[in-house]
Amino acid sequence: MTSLNYDIKDKLQRLNVFEKLIVVNFALFVIGLLLKNIFHFGFEWFELPSDFNDFILKPWSIITYAFIHYDFWHFLFNMVWLYFIGGMFSNMFSVKMGLNVYFLGTIFGGLLFLLGYNLFPDIFQTSPRLVGASAAIRALLIFLCAYMPTMEVRFFTFNIKLWYIGAVIVVFDVLGVMAGISDPIYGNAGGNLAHLGGAALGYVYAKQLVKGNDIGKGFEKMMDRIASLFKSSGKSPLKTVHKKKSDKVAGYTKAEFNEFNKQKKIDLILDKISKSGYDSLTKEEKEFLFKAGK
């Protein structure tokens, strides 16, 4: 039994942060099924309500809704997307940045959902509750699309640019909002509205990061402070520590980050050449490669 516990603990430690999120979501999905089928109630206090007055009573739901899934297919599709997109993200960016994008996407998706239903009650006529990690996953996907628009992924027997996939999904989300408005009973306007909020966050985050601005730093510091409250400080006396203002972006100095951005772009262009040849490059890509080679 001890050996089994050690093996499970060891495997969990080897998971990347997104795989750990999948484990948490799976555990909550199973618990939710048991609660619903045995005790006939669910995680209502962790779902995000569309009514602002209800939201005020449970502000934590702006994040917790992303961990609640009741429908098996909803859960499965979200976790498959999170596994693949999270794996791509983990290979290129830090854990903290991944969490920043994920949770900020969750928050902005929830905020757009709340704004839509409270500012335009005549358009969004029902009062649903929001659940699921889709907004957070949209944020990760659109972040990658905006940060590396020329990156290609394997799609069955051919390669396709990742931003094509992102664009198609956003279009479907817009259509989903419109369809949900016209048929509020069977549609999913609120869910698709949240998807668009997550996508918008991912896009803005990536575009600002390319410019050297990590807009998630403030959120990251806030989460670090919250996490520090749960850490034991031992017997060390309290100290006031004065730190110089950091000029780092995503864990790099400005100069290192600019070099990081440049190298990422070079790698993507070289990968494109290896797959499709030099002639497949755009004029801008050829000019960038020429300047980088000097």
Side-chain angles (χ1 to χ4, degrees), residues 166-179:
V168 169
I169 289 174
V170 169
V171 169
F172 273 110
D173 285 335
V174 172
L175 294 175
V177 172
M178 296 169 63

Side-chain angles (χ1 to χ4, degrees), residues 22 27 114 122 142 152 156 161-162 167 264 266 282 284:
I22 291 173
L114 281 168
D122 294 334
I142 302 304
E152 296 183 342
F156 294 106
K161 288 183 179 179
L162 185 63
K264 284 289 181 187
I266 291 172
T282 64
E284 291 77 14

Side-chain angles (χ1 to χ4, degrees), residues 210-230:
V210 169
K211 296 177 182 179
N213 303 317
D214 186 350
I215 64 173
K217 273 297 179 184
F219 176 78
E220 182 181 316
K221 289 178 181 178
M222 181 186 74
M223 295 306 294
D224 285 343
R225 290 194 189 100
I226 293 173
S228 68
L229 297 176
F230 298 93

Side-chain angles (χ1 to χ4, degrees), residues 260-274:
F260 170 81
N261 267 334
K262 179 180 177 182
Q263 189 58 51
K264 284 289 181 187
K265 193 167 183 178
I266 291 172
D267 291 343
L268 288 171
I269 292 174
L270 293 178
D271 185 56
K272 186 175 180 179
I273 292 173
S274 68

Side-chain angles (χ1 to χ4, degrees), residues 121-280:
D122 294 334
I123 297 176
F124 300 95
Q125 298 177 13
T126 58
S127 299
R129 292 173 177 269
L130 183 65
V131 295
S134 302
I137 296 166
R138 289 294 194 282
L140 292 170
L141 172 62
I142 302 304
F143 176 97
L144 291 175
C145 293
Y147 190 85
M148 294 175 290
T150 60
M151 181 171 67
E152 296 183 342
V153 293
R154 194 70 175 171
F155 190 74
F156 294 106
T157 59
F158 57 92
N159 294 325
I160 184 172
K161 288 183 179 179
L162 185 63
W163 82 265
Y164 290 168
I165 298 175
V168 169
I169 289 174
V170 169
V171 169
F172 273 110
D173 285 335
V174 172
L175 294 175
V177 172
M178 296 169 63
I181 291 173
S182 63
D183 187 358
I185 302 300
Y186 296 101
N188 185 27
N192 285 287
L193 197 61
H195 297 172
L196 293 173
L201 180 280
Y203 181 84
V204 172
Y205 200 129
K207 288 301 182 182
Q208 286 299 309
L209 192 64
V210 169
K211 296 177 182 179
N213 303 317
D214 186 350
I215 64 173
K217 273 297 179 184
F219 176 78
E220 182 181 316
K221 289 178 181 178
M222 181 186 74
M223 295 306 294
D224 285 343
R225 290 194 189 100
I226 293 173
S228 68
L229 297 176
F230 298 93
K231 292 180 180 178
S232 174
S233 59
K235 297 181 179 180
S236 300
L238 295 174
K239 295 180 181 179
T240 301
V241 180
H242 301 281
K243 295 183 179 179
K244 292 182 179 180
K245 186 177 179 180
S246 174
D247 61 349
K248 291 190 174 184
V249 180
Y252 300 92
T253 63
K254 288 289 180 69
E256 289 172 340
F257 183 75
N258 289 336
E259 186 62 29
F260 170 81
N261 267 334
K262 179 180 177 182
Q263 189 58 51
K264 284 289 181 187
K265 193 167 183 178
I266 291 172
D267 291 343
L268 288 171
I269 292 174
L270 293 178
D271 185 56
K272 186 175 180 179
I273 292 173
S274 68
K275 292 176 179 177
S276 308
Y278 181 78
D279 291 336
S280 66

